[in-house]
Amino acid sequence: MLRLLFCLTCALILLASSVASAAIVEHSFHVRKLTVRPLCSDQVITAVNGSLPGPTISVQEGDTLVVHVFNESPYNMTLHWHGVFQLLSAWADGPGMITQCPIPPGGKYTYKFKLLKQEGTLWWHAHVSWLRATVYGALIIRPRSGHPYPFPKPDGEVPILLGEWWNANVVDVETQALATGAQPNNSDAFTINGLPGDLYPCSQNRIFKLKVQKGKTYLLRIINAALNNELFFKIANHNMKVVAVDASYTVPYVTDVVVTGPGQTVDVLLAADQEVGSYYMAANAYVSDGGAPLNSTTRGIVVYEGAPATATPIMPLMPAFNDTPTAHKFFTTITGLAGGPHWVPVPRQIDEHMFVTVNMGISVCPTCLNGTRLSASMNNYSFVHPTSLSMLQAFYFNVSGIYTPDFPDTPPVKFDYTNDNINVLNPSLSITPKSTSVKVLKYNSTVEMVLQNTAIMGVENHPMHLHSFNFHVLAQGFGNYDALNDPKKFNLVNPQLRNTIGVPVGGWAVIRFIANNPGVWIMHCHLDVHLPWGLATAFVVENGPTEDSTLPPPPADLPRC
C-alpha cells in the first residue's frame, strides 16, 4: 500500500512539473511596408514588425504559441510555421487556400498551437506568393526546463538565416514570370541575417558579424530561408559539428561545409578553437541543374575577441556551384539520434506504397510568349490551388467540388525517368494537366513514398517539404529507383528525420511517415519558383476514432475567401 502511494505521489509530482513547465507565449505581428537599403538604392518591402528578418520566436517544448497577425500590407497574407506538427491545430498551419483563406489587407488572424514532441530550430514565413522573401524569421524550440540538450551545453546560441534579395518588388518578379511563362529573374544577392555582406555593389558596410571568445562553443541555428536556391555554407579554418536537422537530433557529424535546401535547418556546434583573428563565413549557391553558375556569394565575419580591428578576414574555399558529390555526401552521411529526445523508431508495417515522379514540364498558355508556360507536376498532376474555399474547410464541412480524391499512387506512364533524351523520345510526357488532386489517408496509416526525379525538361535537386509530419529518410541515390535492389540500402535503425528532403539531382529518395494528424496537408517543392507551377500535392488525413484524433472546428476569426 505504501509503495502504491509512493508511486502515485511521484506520478502526480511529475505531472505537475510537466504542466508547470508549459507556458503561453504570445506575440503580435504587424505586417506592413518597410523601406530598406541592402544594396545601392532604397527598396520598399513587406516585413514583420519593421525588421528583416522578422522577430525570432523562442519557446520551450510543450508551450502554447499565440501569434496575432495584423495585415497592414497591400497584399493577401498567411504565415506558415515551417516544420511544426500542428497536432489537432491544422487551422494554424498557414498555407493559403490549403488550410485557410488568406488574411486580406486590413484583416487580422490569430495563430494558436502547441509545440509538442519536437525541439530544435524551425522557422516561420509567409505562404502567399513570393512574400516569404522578406516575411520570415526563426522559431526556436528549446527543451523543457530540466531537460538538457543531448550534447554539451553551448556557451551561446546564434540564429543564422540565409536569405535571398531582389532589387525589385518580389510580387512583381513572380507575376512577370507567370505572365510570360518564363523563368523568373535571379536574385541580386544572398544575405546572412538580412545583410548581403561585402561582395555586392554598395554593400561593404552591410555585413553580419559574429563575435566569439576563444575556447568557447556556439550553437549556430542555420536556416535556409532563400526562395530558389540550395546553399553551401562554410566558415574559414573551422569545422562544424552537426547535431540536428529540421528540429530532429542527429548523431554528431563533423564537417567543414553545410549544405541546405530552401526550408531546411541545420544546427551545428562551432568551437572557437583557432588563432585569435577574423574569419569569413560564406554562403553560395549549389546549382544542380547543369545551368549557368550563379555568381553570388554572401559573407559574414566571425570575429574573435581581441582580434585587431584592421585584420583582414580569411576567406574559406567554397565548393564549385555544381559540386553534387559534396552536397550528396552531406545529405546522406547524416543519421538520426536513435533513442534521443523525441526519437521515433522507423515504422515497419506499411499501409500505403507510393511511387511519385517529380517532373518539370509545360502547360498551354495562350497569352504567354510561346503559347506555353513552364509547369511542374507530381505523377503528372500539376497542382492548382482552389479559389473559393480552403481545402481544410472543404474537408471539415464536407463540401464537394474543391478537390478530388484521385491522386495516383504511381505515375500514369512508366518510362526511363532519368534519361536526358526522354523529352525528345516522348514529347507528350512534358504536358502536365492541371488539377486539385489529393491522396486520402486513413488516420494513423503508415506511408512509404519513393520520390523519383525525372529528366523530362532537365534534372535538378528538388527540396520537397511535407507539412505537419516528420519523415524518416530511408535511402537516397542517383538514377532510376530499383525496387528490387535499392530497398537493401534502407536504413531502418537510425535514419535522419526531416520535414524537407532534397531529392537528388537525377535520382530518388525514399521516405516513410505515419499519418497521425487529421486535416489537409500539402507536400510541395520549396523552390518557390516551382510551387505556382504546380509541383505539389496534398494529403487528406481522415479523422480517427476518438476526440483526440478528430479535427476540431475552425476558430471564429478564420479569414473568409
Side-chain angles (χ1 to χ4, degrees):
M1 185 66 174
L2 290 175
R3 183 177 181 182
L4 177 61
L5 289 173
F6 175 77
C7 292
L8 181 61
T9 301
C10 289
L12 290 173
I13 292 173
L14 185 62
L15 177 63
S17 174
S18 176
V19 172
S21 67
I24 296 176
V25 180
E26 198 162 0
H27 290 265
S28 291
F29 277 13
H30 295 268
V31 185
R32 58 169 72 107
K33 293 181 179 180
L34 175 68
T35 300
V36 295
R37 192 183 180 91
L39 300 180
C40 298
S41 59
D42 288 344
Q43 180 71 37
V44 177
I45 64 171
T46 305
V48 172
N49 292 359
S51 66
L52 176 68
T56 293
I57 296 177
S58 295
V59 295
Q60 288 184 325
E61 193 270 327
D63 287 351
T64 296
L65 180 60
V66 180
V67 181
H68 307 286
V69 178
F70 302 88
N71 185 11
E72 300 161 20
S73 81
Y75 306 110
N76 285 338
M77 177 61 58
T78 70
L79 292 184
H80 170 52
W81 314 91
H82 188 111
V84 173
F85 293 155
Q86 298 292 2
L87 296 171
L88 298 181
S89 56
W91 303 105
D93 190 43
M97 302 312 299
I98 307 299
T99 61
Q100 68 167 97
C101 300
I103 309 167
K108 61 182 180 179
Y109 180 51
T110 295
Y111 294 91
K112 181 178 181 180
F113 51 91
K114 291 183 178 180
L115 287 309
L116 297 171
K117 302 179 182 180
Q118 58 186 152
E119 57 191 58
T121 303
L122 296 174
W123 63 303
W124 58 266
H125 60 80
H127 214 295
V128 173
S129 72
W130 277 24
L131 289 170
R132 79 169 179 87
T134 55
V135 179
Y136 66 90
L139 171 56
I140 298 171
I141 309 171
R142 293 186 172 87
R144 294 184 188 225
S145 299
H147 294 248
Y149 292 126
F151 48 80
K153 184 179 179 180
D155 298 294
E157 300 184 12
V158 184
I160 302 291
L161 291 96
L162 306 176
E164 203 163 1
W165 172 262
W166 278 261
N167 287 326
N169 183 318
V170 290
V171 175
D172 294 341
V173 174
E174 180 190 22
T175 300
Q176 180 184 21
L178 292 175
T180 62
Q183 287 269 13
N185 294 333
N186 287 330
S187 59
D188 295 290
F190 295 125
T191 59
I192 299 176
N193 290 345
L195 300 171
D198 56 359
L199 290 177
Y200 299 103
C202 310
S203 68
Q204 285 69 28
N205 296 319
R206 300 184 180 101
I207 187 167
F208 171 71
K209 294 183 179 180
L210 172 60
K211 296 180 180 180
V212 300
Q213 292 182 354
K214 185 176 175 63
K216 293 193 174 182
T217 299
Y218 300 84
L219 178 62
L220 305 187
R221 299 178 177 273
I222 303 169
I223 300 168
N224 186 340
L227 259 70
N228 295 320
N229 283 280
E230 296 175 286
L231 297 169
F232 294 112
F233 177 84
K234 295 187 72 173
I235 300 175
N237 290 11
H238 289 74
N239 285 328
M240 295 168 281
K241 182 183 292 184
V242 177
V243 292
V245 295
D246 289 2
S248 294
Y249 292 117
T250 66
V251 173
Y253 165 50
V254 177
T255 177
D256 70 338
V257 59
V258 165
V259 192
T260 64
Q264 292 182 327
T265 71
V266 183
D267 289 358
V268 301
L269 294 175
L270 172 69
D273 56 5
Q274 297 299 301
E275 293 296 323
V276 171
S278 296
Y279 302 83
Y280 277 119
M281 63 172 69
N284 65 353
Y286 164 44
V287 183
S288 63
D289 63 3
L294 188 58
N295 187 21
S296 183
T297 301
T298 180
R299 298 199 298 197
I301 305 177
V302 176
V303 182
Y304 278 67
E305 185 179 88
T310 56
T312 301
I314 300 171
M315 178 66 184
L317 178 64
M318 301 301 293
F321 74 96
N322 58 354
D323 191 349
T324 292
T326 291
H328 190 66
K329 178 184 177 183
F330 180 85
F331 287 138
T332 57
T333 302
I334 294 170
T335 53
L337 188 62
H342 311 297
W343 168 255
V344 177
V346 180
R348 300 303 180 97
Q349 181 67 41
I350 303 167
D351 303 298
E352 299 280 353
H353 291 267
M354 302 182 70
F355 184 97
V356 179
T357 54
V358 180
N359 307 339
M360 297 302 298
I362 56 175
S363 60
V364 176
C365 176
T367 61
C368 295
L369 294 178
N370 298 316
T372 61
R373 65 158 48 105
L374 290 171
S375 185
S377 65
M378 299 176 69
N379 275 353
N380 213 42
Y381 279 61
S382 187
F383 188 82
V384 177
H385 287 71
T387 57
S388 61
L389 193 70
S390 77
M391 297 173 70
L392 188 61
Q393 288 172 298
F395 167 70
Y396 183 83
F397 294 107
N398 197 26
V399 178
S400 61
I402 303 300
Y403 59 80
T404 56
D406 57 354
F407 184 81
D409 290 339
T410 57
V413 179
K414 293 183 179 181
F415 57 96
D416 187 1
Y417 304 110
T418 54
N419 185 335
D420 288 341
N421 298 318
I422 197 67
N423 193 38
V424 176
L425 298 175
N426 191 351
S428 65
L429 291 172
S430 64
I431 303 298
T432 55
K434 299 291 185 179
S435 70
T436 308
S437 180
V438 306
K439 170 71 175 177
V440 178
L441 299 173
K442 295 289 186 183
Y443 176 79
N444 234 22
S445 59
T446 296
V447 181
E448 181 175 290
M449 179 185 294
V450 178
L451 290 163
Q452 174 70 63
N453 256 324
T454 68
I456 291 175
M457 293 189 67
V459 293
E460 64 179 310
N461 186 302
H462 288 98
M464 301 300 297
H465 171 50
L466 177 59
H467 287 222
S468 176
F469 304 106
N470 278 353
F471 46 75
H472 294 93
V473 182
L474 303 184
Q476 305 172 64
F478 296 107
N480 296 338
Y481 176 74
D482 183 339
L484 180 62
N485 294 306
D486 286 332
K488 300 173 186 176
K489 305 172 185 175
F490 286 4
N491 179 355
L492 300 175
V493 178
N494 64 343
Q496 57 186 285
L497 277 164
R498 281 196 176 273
N499 61 60
T500 305
I501 173 68
V503 184
V505 53
W508 52 269
V510 182
I511 65 173
R512 195 179 292 180
F513 67 95
I514 300 175
N516 58 359
N517 195 16
V520 181
W521 310 106
I522 189 171
M523 183 180 198
H524 64 92
C525 182
H526 222 271
L527 298 173
D528 270 30
V529 65
H530 290 167
L531 180 54
W533 290 350
L535 192 48
T537 189
F539 293 99
V540 173
V541 180
E542 296 178 337
N543 287 317
T546 65
E547 184 179 353
D548 289 341
S549 59
T550 300
L551 178 68
D557 65 339
L558 187 73
R560 296 182 179 182
C561 292

Coordinates of all heavy atoms in Angstrom, one line a residue, residues 64-112:
T64 N 2.5 26.7 -25.5 CA 1.4 27.1 -26.5 C 1.9 28.5 -27.1 O 2.1 29.4 -26.3 CB 0.1 27.3 -25.8 OG1 -0.3 26.0 -25.3 CG2 -1.0 27.8 -26.8
L65 N 1.9 28.6 -28.4 CA 2.3 29.8 -29.1 C 1.1 30.5 -29.6 O 0.2 29.8 -30.3 CB 3.3 29.5 -30.2 CG 3.8 30.7 -31.0 CD1 4.5 31.7 -30.1 CD2 4.7 30.3 -32.1
V66 N 0.9 31.8 -29.3 CA -0.2 32.6 -29.8 C 0.4 33.8 -30.6 O 1.1 34.6 -30.0 CB -1.1 33.0 -28.7 CG1 -2.3 33.9 -29.2 CG2 -1.6 31.9 -27.9
V67 N 0.1 33.9 -31.8 CA 0.6 35.0 -32.6 C -0.6 35.7 -33.3 O -1.3 35.1 -34.1 CB 1.6 34.5 -33.7 CG1 2.1 35.7 -34.5 CG2 2.7 33.7 -33.1
H68 N -0.8 37.0 -32.9 CA -1.8 37.8 -33.5 C -1.2 38.5 -34.7 O -0.3 39.3 -34.6 CB -2.3 38.9 -32.5 CG -2.7 38.3 -31.2 ND1 -3.9 37.6 -31.0 CD2 -2.1 38.3 -30.0 CE1 -4.0 37.2 -29.7 NE2 -2.9 37.6 -29.1
V69 N -1.7 38.2 -35.9 CA -1.2 38.8 -37.1 C -2.1 39.9 -37.6 O -3.3 39.7 -37.9 CB -1.0 37.7 -38.2 CG1 -0.5 38.3 -39.5 CG2 -0.1 36.6 -37.7
F70 N -1.6 41.1 -37.8 CA -2.3 42.2 -38.3 C -1.8 42.6 -39.7 O -0.6 43.0 -39.8 CB -2.2 43.4 -37.4 CG -2.7 43.2 -36.0 CD1 -1.8 42.7 -35.0 CD2 -4.0 43.5 -35.6 CE1 -2.3 42.4 -33.7 CE2 -4.5 43.2 -34.3 CZ -3.6 42.7 -33.4
N71 N -2.6 42.3 -40.7 CA -2.1 42.5 -42.1 C -2.3 44.0 -42.5 O -3.4 44.4 -42.9 CB -2.8 41.6 -43.1 CG -2.2 41.7 -44.5 OD1 -1.2 42.3 -44.7 ND2 -2.9 41.1 -45.4
E72 N -1.2 44.8 -42.4 CA -1.3 46.2 -42.7 C -0.6 46.4 -44.1 O -0.2 47.5 -44.4 CB -0.6 47.0 -41.6 CG -1.4 46.9 -40.3 CD -0.5 47.3 -39.1 OE1 0.5 48.1 -39.3 OE2 -0.8 46.9 -38.0
S73 N -0.4 45.3 -44.8 CA 0.3 45.4 -46.1 C -0.8 45.5 -47.2 O -2.0 45.2 -47.0 CB 1.1 44.2 -46.4 OG 0.3 43.1 -46.8
P74 N -0.4 45.8 -48.5 CA -1.4 45.8 -49.6 C -1.7 44.4 -50.2 O -2.4 44.3 -51.2 CB -0.7 46.7 -50.6 CG 0.7 46.5 -50.4 CD 0.9 46.3 -48.9
Y75 N -1.1 43.4 -49.6 CA -1.2 42.0 -50.2 C -2.0 41.1 -49.2 O -2.0 41.2 -48.0 CB 0.2 41.4 -50.5 CG 1.0 42.3 -51.3 CD1 2.2 43.0 -50.7 CD2 0.8 42.5 -52.6 CE1 3.0 43.8 -51.5 CE2 1.6 43.3 -53.4 CZ 2.7 44.0 -52.8 OH 3.5 44.8 -53.6
N76 N -2.6 40.1 -49.8 CA -3.1 39.0 -49.0 C -1.9 38.3 -48.3 O -0.8 38.3 -48.8 CB -3.8 37.9 -49.9 CG -5.2 38.4 -50.4 OD1 -5.8 39.2 -49.8 ND2 -5.7 37.8 -51.4
M77 N -2.2 37.7 -47.1 CA -1.1 37.2 -46.3 C -1.5 36.0 -45.5 O -2.7 35.9 -45.0 CB -0.7 38.3 -45.3 CG 0.4 38.0 -44.3 SD 2.0 37.5 -45.1 CE 2.3 39.0 -46.1
T78 N -0.7 35.0 -45.4 CA -0.8 34.0 -44.4 C 0.6 33.7 -43.9 O 1.6 34.0 -44.5 CB -1.3 32.6 -45.0 OG1 -0.3 32.1 -45.9 CG2 -2.6 32.8 -45.8
L79 N 0.7 33.1 -42.7 CA 2.0 32.7 -42.1 C 2.0 31.2 -41.9 O 1.0 30.6 -41.4 CB 2.3 33.4 -40.8 CG 2.5 34.9 -40.9 CD1 2.9 35.5 -39.5 CD2 3.6 35.3 -41.9
H80 N 3.1 30.5 -42.3 CA 3.3 29.1 -42.1 C 4.4 28.9 -41.1 O 5.4 29.6 -41.1 CB 3.6 28.4 -43.4 CG 4.1 27.0 -43.3 ND1 3.3 26.1 -42.6 CD2 5.2 26.4 -43.7 CE1 3.9 24.9 -42.6 NE2 5.1 25.1 -43.3
W81 N 4.2 27.9 -40.2 CA 5.1 27.6 -39.1 C 5.8 26.3 -39.5 O 5.4 25.2 -39.2 CB 4.3 27.5 -37.8 CG 3.4 28.7 -37.7 CD1 2.1 28.7 -38.1 CD2 3.7 30.0 -37.2 NE1 1.6 30.0 -37.9 CE2 2.5 30.8 -37.4 CE3 4.9 30.6 -36.7 CZ2 2.5 32.1 -37.0 CZ3 4.8 31.9 -36.4 CH2 3.7 32.7 -36.5
H82 N 6.9 26.6 -40.3 CA 7.5 25.5 -41.1 C 8.1 24.4 -40.1 O 9.0 24.7 -39.4 CB 8.6 26.1 -41.9 CG 9.3 25.2 -42.9 ND1 9.1 25.3 -44.3 CD2 10.1 24.1 -42.7 CE1 9.7 24.4 -44.9 NE2 10.3 23.6 -44.0
G83 N 7.6 23.2 -40.3 CA 8.1 22.1 -39.5 C 7.3 21.8 -38.3 O 7.5 20.7 -37.6
V84 N 6.4 22.7 -37.9 CA 5.6 22.4 -36.7 C 4.6 21.4 -37.0 O 3.9 21.4 -38.0 CB 4.9 23.7 -36.2 CG1 3.9 23.5 -35.1 CG2 5.9 24.8 -35.8
F85 N 4.4 20.4 -36.0 CA 3.5 19.3 -36.3 C 2.0 19.7 -36.4 O 1.2 19.1 -37.0 CB 3.7 18.3 -35.2 CG 5.0 17.6 -35.2 CD1 5.5 17.0 -34.0 CD2 5.7 17.4 -36.3 CE1 6.7 16.3 -34.0 CE2 6.9 16.8 -36.3 CZ 7.4 16.2 -35.2
Q86 N 1.7 20.8 -35.6 CA 0.3 21.2 -35.6 C -0.7 20.1 -35.3 O -1.7 19.9 -35.9 CB -0.1 21.8 -37.0 CG 0.7 23.0 -37.4 CD 0.4 24.3 -36.6 OE1 -0.4 24.2 -35.6 NE2 1.1 25.4 -36.9
L87 N -0.4 19.4 -34.2 CA -1.2 18.3 -33.7 C -2.6 18.9 -33.3 O -2.7 19.7 -32.4 CB -0.6 17.6 -32.6 CG 0.7 16.8 -32.9 CD1 1.4 16.3 -31.7 CD2 0.4 15.7 -33.9
L88 N -3.6 18.5 -34.1 CA -5.0 18.9 -33.9 C -5.2 20.5 -34.0 O -6.1 21.0 -33.4 CB -5.6 18.4 -32.5 CG -5.7 16.9 -32.4 CD1 -6.3 16.5 -31.0 CD2 -6.5 16.3 -33.5
S89 N -4.3 21.1 -34.7 CA -4.3 22.6 -34.9 C -4.1 22.9 -36.3 O -3.4 23.9 -36.7 CB -3.4 23.3 -34.0 OG -2.0 22.8 -34.2
A90 N -4.7 22.1 -37.2 CA -4.5 22.3 -38.7 C -4.9 23.7 -39.1 O -4.3 24.2 -40.1 CB -5.2 21.3 -39.5
W91 N -5.8 24.3 -38.5 CA -6.3 25.7 -38.8 C -5.2 26.7 -38.7 O -5.3 27.8 -39.2 CB -7.5 26.1 -38.0 CG -8.6 25.1 -38.1 CD1 -9.0 24.2 -37.2 CD2 -9.5 25.0 -39.2 NE1 -10.1 23.5 -37.6 CE2 -10.4 23.9 -38.9 CE3 -9.6 25.6 -40.5 CZ2 -11.5 23.5 -39.7 CZ3 -10.6 25.1 -41.3 CH2 -11.5 24.1 -41.0
A92 N -4.1 26.3 -38.0 CA -3.0 27.3 -37.8 C -1.8 27.0 -38.7 O -0.8 27.7 -38.6 CB -2.5 27.2 -36.3
D93 N -1.9 26.0 -39.6 CA -0.7 25.7 -40.4 C -0.3 26.8 -41.4 O 0.9 27.0 -41.5 CB -1.0 24.4 -41.2 CG 0.2 23.8 -41.8 OD1 1.3 23.8 -41.1 OD2 0.2 23.4 -43.0
G94 N -1.3 27.4 -42.0 CA -1.0 28.6 -42.7 C -0.9 28.7 -44.2 O -1.0 29.8 -44.8
P95 N -0.7 27.6 -45.0 CA -0.6 27.7 -46.5 C -1.9 28.2 -47.1 O -3.0 27.7 -46.8 CB -0.3 26.3 -46.9 CG -0.8 25.4 -45.9 CD -0.6 26.2 -44.6
G96 N -1.8 29.3 -47.9 CA -3.0 29.9 -48.4 C -3.8 28.9 -49.3 O -3.3 28.2 -50.1
M97 N -5.1 28.9 -49.0 CA -6.1 28.1 -49.7 C -6.0 26.6 -49.5 O -6.8 25.8 -50.0 CB -6.1 28.4 -51.2 CG -6.4 29.8 -51.6 SD -7.8 30.6 -50.7 CE -9.2 29.5 -51.3
I98 N -5.0 26.2 -48.6 CA -4.9 24.8 -48.2 C -5.6 24.7 -46.8 O -6.6 24.0 -46.7 CB -3.5 24.3 -48.1 CG1 -2.8 24.6 -49.5 CG2 -3.4 22.8 -47.8 CD1 -3.4 23.9 -50.7
T99 N -5.1 25.4 -45.8 CA -5.7 25.3 -44.5 C -6.5 26.6 -44.1 O -7.2 26.6 -43.1 CB -4.7 25.0 -43.4 OG1 -3.7 26.1 -43.4 CG2 -4.0 23.7 -43.7
Q100 N -6.4 27.6 -44.9 CA -7.1 28.9 -44.6 C -7.2 29.7 -45.9 O -6.3 29.6 -46.8 CB -6.4 29.7 -43.5 CG -5.0 30.2 -43.9 CD -4.5 31.3 -43.0 OE1 -3.7 30.9 -42.1 NE2 -4.9 32.5 -43.1
C101 N -8.2 30.6 -45.9 CA -8.2 31.7 -46.9 C -7.2 32.8 -46.4 O -7.0 32.9 -45.2 CB -9.5 32.3 -47.0 SG -10.8 31.0 -47.6
P102 N -6.5 33.5 -47.3 CA -5.6 34.5 -46.8 C -6.2 35.6 -46.0 O -7.4 35.9 -46.1 CB -5.0 35.0 -48.1 CG -5.3 34.0 -49.1 CD -6.6 33.4 -48.7
I103 N -5.4 36.2 -45.1 CA -5.7 37.4 -44.4 C -5.7 38.6 -45.3 O -4.7 38.9 -45.9 CB -4.8 37.7 -43.2 CG1 -4.6 36.4 -42.4 CG2 -5.3 38.8 -42.4 CD1 -3.4 36.5 -41.4
P104 N -6.9 39.2 -45.6 CA -6.9 40.3 -46.6 C -6.2 41.6 -46.0 O -6.0 41.7 -44.8 CB -8.4 40.6 -46.8 CG -9.0 40.2 -45.5 CD -8.2 39.0 -45.0
P105 N -5.8 42.5 -46.9 CA -5.3 43.8 -46.4 C -6.2 44.4 -45.4 O -7.5 44.5 -45.6 CB -5.1 44.6 -47.7 CG -4.9 43.6 -48.7 CD -5.8 42.4 -48.3
G106 N -5.7 44.8 -44.2 CA -6.6 45.4 -43.2 C -7.2 44.3 -42.3 O -7.8 44.7 -41.3
G107 N -7.0 43.0 -42.5 CA -7.5 42.0 -41.7 C -6.6 41.5 -40.7 O -5.4 41.9 -40.6
K108 N -7.1 40.6 -39.8 CA -6.2 40.0 -38.8 C -6.6 38.6 -38.5 O -7.8 38.2 -38.9 CB -6.3 40.8 -37.5 CG -7.7 40.9 -36.9 CD -7.8 41.8 -35.6 CE -9.2 41.8 -35.1 NZ -9.2 42.7 -33.8
Y109 N -5.7 37.8 -38.0 CA -6.0 36.4 -37.6 C -5.0 36.0 -36.5 O -3.9 36.5 -36.5 CB -5.8 35.5 -38.9 CG -6.1 34.1 -38.6 CD1 -7.2 33.6 -38.0 CD2 -5.2 33.1 -39.1 CE1 -7.5 32.3 -37.8 CE2 -5.4 31.7 -38.9 CZ -6.6 31.3 -38.2 OH -6.8 30.0 -38.0
T110 N -5.5 35.2 -35.6 CA -4.6 34.7 -34.5 C -4.3 33.2 -34.8 O -5.2 32.4 -34.9 CB -5.3 34.9 -33.2 OG1 -5.5 36.3 -32.9 CG2 -4.5 34.3 -32.1
Y111 N -3.0 32.9 -34.9 CA -2.5 31.6 -34.9 C -2.2 31.1 -33.5 O -1.5 31.7 -32.8 CB -1.2 31.5 -35.8 CG -1.4 31.8 -37.2 CD1 -1.2 33.1 -37.7 CD2 -1.7 30.9 -38.2 CE1 -1.4 33.5 -39.0 CE2 -1.9 31.2 -39.5 CZ -1.7 32.5 -39.9 OH -1.9 32.8 -41.3
K112 N -2.8 29.9 -33.2 CA -2.6 29.4 -31.8 C -2.4 27.9 -31.9 O -3.2 27.2 -32.5 CB -3.8 29.7 -30.9 CG -3.7 29.1 -29.5 CD -4.9 29.5 -28.7 CE -4.8 29.0 -27.3 NZ -6.0 29.3 -26.4

